Amino acid sequence: MINKIWFFIIAFSVAFAATNGKLEALNEEIFTSLKSSVDISLGLLGNLMLWCGILKAAEKAGLVEKLGYIIRPVLGLLFRDIPEKSAAMGAMVMNITSNMLGLGNAATPFGLKAMAELQKYNKDKNTATNAMALFLVINGAPICLIPSTVMSIRASLGSNNPGAVIIPSMITSLAALTVGVICCKIFEKREGKME
């Protein structure tokens, strides 16, 4: 489907440029955009490698586990139906702490494992449980302590202070997470009253 959408956009652009006599300008813009894309990608590559190395060292040093000890009690309050020592809770803790440190690649397998473990507590296998929905919201809007990708993009584009986004990123991600959790709990209570 996405290929059809892209084809339509490209075909429409070429047809529009051809009918307005702007094919040469379109051609120039395509090559200019390709050059800037390559320049940005090369700039990002070095920054991302640096941050991935720093965050991997933090993970090996046990920072992920230490953050896990802090958030485990909070998750226990949010997920009352899930046993605190379960494999699901352990996978959720590892997923959330990895996301907090910007280790998206490390967080994904833990997120998949958490969902698989949460499915074991599901009575209706064709419908997501409240815990699954809440975890999906938390995973989709995690608190970000180190926005390494955004900092890398800013650095590659010549920002004087790429780290200026750290505090705003923490504030906005905390706000998004808070709203998401509150909405999930409201819908959870509403669903409980309807039953």
Side-chain angles (χ1 to χ4, degrees):
M1 180 66 186
I2 195 75
N3 289 337
K4 292 177 184 176
I5 293 170
W6 276 112
F7 176 77
F8 174 76
I9 291 171
I10 292 169
F12 181 76
S13 300
V14 170
F16 187 79
T19 57
N20 290 317
K22 303 277 186 181
L23 275 175
E24 188 175 323
L26 177 66
N27 192 33
E28 285 178 27
E29 188 58 39
I30 288 171
F31 286 107
T32 302
S33 297
L34 288 173
K35 183 182 179 313
S36 66
S37 297
V38 170
D39 291 343
I40 290 171
S41 297
L42 289 176
L44 273 176
L45 186 62
N47 288 316
L48 285 174
M49 288 170 52
L50 170 71
W51 278 105
C52 285
I54 290 171
L55 295 172
K56 200 65 172 169
E59 181 184 17
K60 295 281 186 194
L63 188 57
V64 173
E65 286 83 16
K66 288 176 183 167
L67 276 172
Y69 291 127
I70 295 169
I71 68 166
R72 190 176 287 271
V74 175
L75 290 182
L77 292 171
L78 292 174
F79 296 94
R80 294 179 190 263
D81 299 342
I82 308 299
E84 195 169 324
K85 299 289 184 188
S86 68
M89 190 64 78
M92 284 191 291
V93 166
M94 293 304 291
N95 171 270
I96 293 166
T97 54
S98 295
N99 273 329
M100 289 173 76
L101 293 175
L103 299 168
N105 292 337
T108 301
F110 290 121
L112 295 173
K113 172 116 173 94
M115 282 302 228
E117 292 295 327
L118 287 171
Q119 181 70 353
K120 292 178 182 176
Y121 296 100
N122 192 354
K123 293 175 186 154
D124 181 6
K125 301 298 183 188
N126 294 323
T127 305
T129 63
N130 289 330
M132 293 168 95
L134 179 59
F135 175 67
L136 188 61
V137 166
I138 291 171
N139 189 38
I143 295 175
C144 186
L145 299 178
I146 303 171
S148 55
T149 304
V150 175
M151 289 170 46
S152 298
I153 291 170
R154 287 173 52 86
S156 71
L157 293 174
S159 172
N160 291 333
N161 187 5
V165 296
I166 292 174
I167 300 298
S169 175
M170 284 183 192
I171 293 168
T172 55
S173 62
L174 179 62
L177 178 65
T178 303
V179 169
V181 169
I182 289 171
C183 287
C184 279
K185 290 301 180 180
I186 288 171
F187 286 124
E188 191 176 316
K189 286 198 184 289
R190 186 178 295 170
E191 180 186 334
K193 288 180 182 176
M194 293 167 106
E195 292 175 352

